[in-house]
Amino acid sequence: MTKHDNLIGADWISFGNYQDNINPSDVSDVIGAYSYGDNESVNAAVEAAKAALPAWRDATPQARHDVLDAVGNTIAARKDEIGRLLSREEGKTLAEGIGETMRAAQVFKFFAGEALRQSGDLQASVRPDIDIEVTREPVGIVGLITPWNFPIAIPAWKIAPALAYGNCVVLKPADLTPGCAHVIAGILNECGCPAGVFNLVMGRGSVVGEALISHPDIAAISFTGSVATGQHIAETCGRLRKKVQLEMGGKNPMVVLDDADLSVAVPACINGTFFSTGQRCTASSRLIVEAGIHDAFVDEMTRAMKALNVGNALDQATQIGPVVDARQLNSNLEYVEIARGEADEVIGGERLELADNGFYQAPALFVGTRNDMRINREEIFGPCGSIIKVADFDEAVAVANDTDFGLSAGICTQSLKHARAFKRKAEAGMVMVNLPTAGVDYHVPFGGRKGSSFGAREQGRYAVEFYTTVKTSYVYAG
């Protein structure tokens, strides 16, 4: 079996402990063995980053651009190979795996451009003969902790801005899906990223992640994952005065009004609720439907959901791949049982036994639910959607906002008046009109409100807020 080691400085290093990377479509398919690090691994990675930081911080924008642009080009050229690896280790369909890989390539190329577009402000002083410059500088060494559900896109949108703005990086990818992060590390190395500027330490969050967030020489932590872990990281970073950026859960509403075009609304809801096996923090988990269209919507959603093909992620006919692992599948099935006691009707949701021995689940609709039920308060993170009937637009908005989360929100309507009002009133970081709540562009800010996000936005030009610190300089010419 192929063994994959950690990248620290210029060297690929094994720490002796390997864990198999299993294909959730077929558990007999072992992708490889990946070396897991520990506290000493993190210490070594941080020392390598400290040694590399002065030269990278002072490198020209062109030097940073060239590395990131080359990485983007290389990922794009290898999209089929990397996309297949992604689908094998995470369970996304092959089309989704290749699509996510291309998004990672686009992210690197976007931030290659941002490396050349760094700017500041020249301001007039209220005092005579004094000039003021406001500039941005890298924060230093950044610890990145990424989740299993987007194993190449999320590492890319953290790594690329960190490097573009002159920081050095220690990345801890999810222990379930280390393969794509390992590939990125290799590509950065091949594309001329100086030794120590980027370091990869794979392993458990409780070990490697904890060592990262508590290390005194790491200036900032960017984390995507669960709410509980995010809260712990926020508390630790606050106590240690580290800069922190958190992307956590979602319980995203999709409102369907009486005037919605079902030929638009149903595909948007099917995509947002079930694609990527529902394993997206932006998934449409609460479908809030106005009474007049409710029954027709339920009928069309049920028909479309039952037509979805669940199967091996590498099969071209598959529309919904497996759940990522047994623990997540069991959690999903527990929520289906909870729904049987809460909802008026549960359609689908059962475990599927297919020819390939994987973690398969039929998509589920929970019909006749209320917003105060557990299935509508807690993030399930699987192919499950609840339908909540409401009387009118005002009740739809109130229900949409009645949640601890605030990442993404959507509305399907042909009314410009209601679309405009919903964009203003939705308590979410991102709002979609006649589009799935999941699926965003790589060059604009990503993030939410309330329990979904904390700190500066990710992606686009807004990423500069987290990965740099502002310096104000005064000069008296005499």
Side-chain angles (χ1 to χ4, degrees), residues 22 40 69 73 87 89 145 174 204 228 277 329 339 401 454 471:
I22 303 296
E40 290 307 310
D69 192 55
N73 288 335
S87 294
E89 73 169 352
I145 302 173
R204 301 271 181 210
T277 322
L329 176 60
N401 289 336
F454 181 82
K471 177 179 284 184

Side-chain angles (χ1 to χ4, degrees), residues 101-170:
T101 302
M102 277 305 300
R103 179 173 176 177
Q106 291 163 336
V107 166
F108 272 102
K109 290 184 72 65
F110 174 85
F111 283 105
E114 287 299 281
L116 298 172
R117 288 190 287 266
Q118 295 181 51
S119 61
D121 295 315
L122 180 63
Q123 299 189 15
S125 174
V126 296
R127 294 170 288 171
D129 301 322
I130 293 176
D131 297 323
I132 302 174
E133 292 180 351
V134 182
T135 55
R136 289 188 175 273
E137 297 181 352
V139 295
I141 301 171
V142 182
L144 307 178
I145 302 173
T146 57
W148 52 260
N149 62 325
F150 284 88
I152 194 166
I154 292 180
W157 83 46
K158 294 181 188 292
I159 297 166
L163 300 187
Y165 300 126
N167 303 282
C168 289
V169 164
V170 180

Side-chain angles (χ1 to χ4, degrees), residues 39 145 172 204-215 221-248 451 454:
N39 288 4
I145 302 173
K172 191 215 88 67
R204 301 271 181 210
S206 58
V207 178
V208 176
E210 196 64 30
L212 276 177
I213 67 175
S214 60
H215 198 290
I221 295 287
S222 180
F223 165 82
T224 300
S226 72
V227 173
T229 303
Q231 289 174 338
H232 169 66
I233 290 172
E235 291 165 3
T236 303
C237 290
R239 186 175 69 250
L240 299 176
R241 298 178 300 281
K242 296 180 188 290
K243 202 170 187 180
V244 63
Q245 177 184 62
L246 307 175
E247 289 296 341
M248 298 172 286
F454 181 82

Side-chain angles (χ1 to χ4, degrees), residues 367-388:
V367 182
T369 76
R370 299 188 315 274
N371 200 51
D372 61 354
M373 293 175 174
R374 278 188 65 187
I375 52 175
N376 289 324
R377 307 307 297 178
E378 301 172 10
E379 186 176 35
I380 298 175
F381 222 65
C384 303
S386 295
I387 298 179
I388 305 169

Side-chain angles (χ1 to χ4, degrees), residues 125-447:
S125 174
V126 296
R127 294 170 288 171
D129 301 322
I130 293 176
D131 297 323
I132 302 174
E133 292 180 351
V134 182
T135 55
R136 289 188 175 273
E137 297 181 352
V139 295
I141 301 171
V142 182
L144 307 178
I145 302 173
T146 57
W148 52 260
N149 62 325
F150 284 88
I152 194 166
I154 292 180
W157 83 46
K158 294 181 188 292
I159 297 166
L163 300 187
Y165 300 126
N167 303 282
C168 289
V169 164
V170 180
L171 170 68
K172 191 215 88 67
D175 56 350
L176 272 179
T177 56
C180 289
H182 191 275
V183 168
I184 291 179
I187 291 173
L188 278 160
N189 207 26
E190 295 163 10
C191 290
C193 185
V197 169
F198 174 85
N199 304 273
L200 173 71
V201 182
M202 300 176 286
R204 301 271 181 210
S206 58
V207 178
V208 176
E210 196 64 30
L212 276 177
I213 67 175
S214 60
H215 198 290
D217 291 323
I218 290 183
I221 295 287
S222 180
F223 165 82
T224 300
S226 72
V227 173
T229 303
Q231 289 174 338
H232 169 66
I233 290 172
E235 291 165 3
T236 303
C237 290
R239 186 175 69 250
L240 299 176
R241 298 178 300 281
K242 296 180 188 290
K243 202 170 187 180
V244 63
Q245 177 184 62
L246 307 175
E247 289 296 341
M248 298 172 286
K251 197 67 181 172
N252 308 292
M254 171 63 92
V255 171
V256 181
L257 296 184
D258 283 347
D259 69 348
D261 180 345
L262 287 181
S263 69
V264 173
V266 170
C269 292
I270 289 289
N271 181 310
T273 306
F274 302 123
F275 282 20
S276 297
T277 322
Q279 297 175 152
R280 301 185 282 193
C281 55
T282 52
S284 308
S285 52
R286 293 182 299 140
L287 306 175
I288 302 166
V289 185
E290 204 171 0
I293 202 172
H294 175 272
D295 292 352
F297 176 80
V298 171
D299 289 345
E300 287 300 304
M301 275 293 292
T302 302
R303 179 195 57 76
M305 182 187 76
K306 289 182 175 180
L308 292 171
N309 186 33
V310 180
N312 191 307
L314 300 182
D315 187 333
Q316 294 285 356
T318 294
Q319 295 169 286
I320 307 294
V323 177
V324 71
D325 71 349
R327 184 172 64 176
Q328 184 64 51
L329 176 60
N330 289 335
S331 175
N332 295 351
L333 296 176
E334 287 174 9
Y335 274 109
V336 172
E337 287 308 306
I338 291 169
R340 295 191 193 283
E342 291 186 330
D344 291 343
E345 183 182 9
V346 173
I347 304 169
E350 67 276 8
R351 176 161 191 177
L352 299 175
E353 299 294 341
L354 304 183
D356 295 313
N357 183 17
F359 305 117
Y360 297 105
Q361 180 185 2
L365 269 182
F366 308 146
V367 182
T369 76
R370 299 188 315 274
N371 200 51
D372 61 354
M373 293 175 174
R374 278 188 65 187
I375 52 175
N376 289 324
R377 307 307 297 178
E378 301 172 10
E379 186 176 35
I380 298 175
F381 222 65
C384 303
S386 295
I387 298 179
I388 305 169
K389 184 193 292 187
V390 294
D392 53 27
F393 173 76
D394 289 338
E395 185 183 1
V397 173
V399 170
N401 289 336
D402 181 15
T403 175
D404 293 333
F405 300 102
L407 183 55
S408 184
I411 187 168
C412 291
T413 179
Q414 297 184 72
S415 165
L416 179 59
K417 173 185 174 182
H418 285 135
R420 183 173 181 270
F422 188 79
K423 286 193 296 179
R424 288 200 321 274
K425 295 179 179 181
E427 296 173 358
M430 299 175 289
V431 180
M432 315 298 185
V433 178
N434 295 322
L435 289 166
T437 56
V440 295
D441 290 357
Y442 63 87
H443 67 300
V444 295
F446 177 96

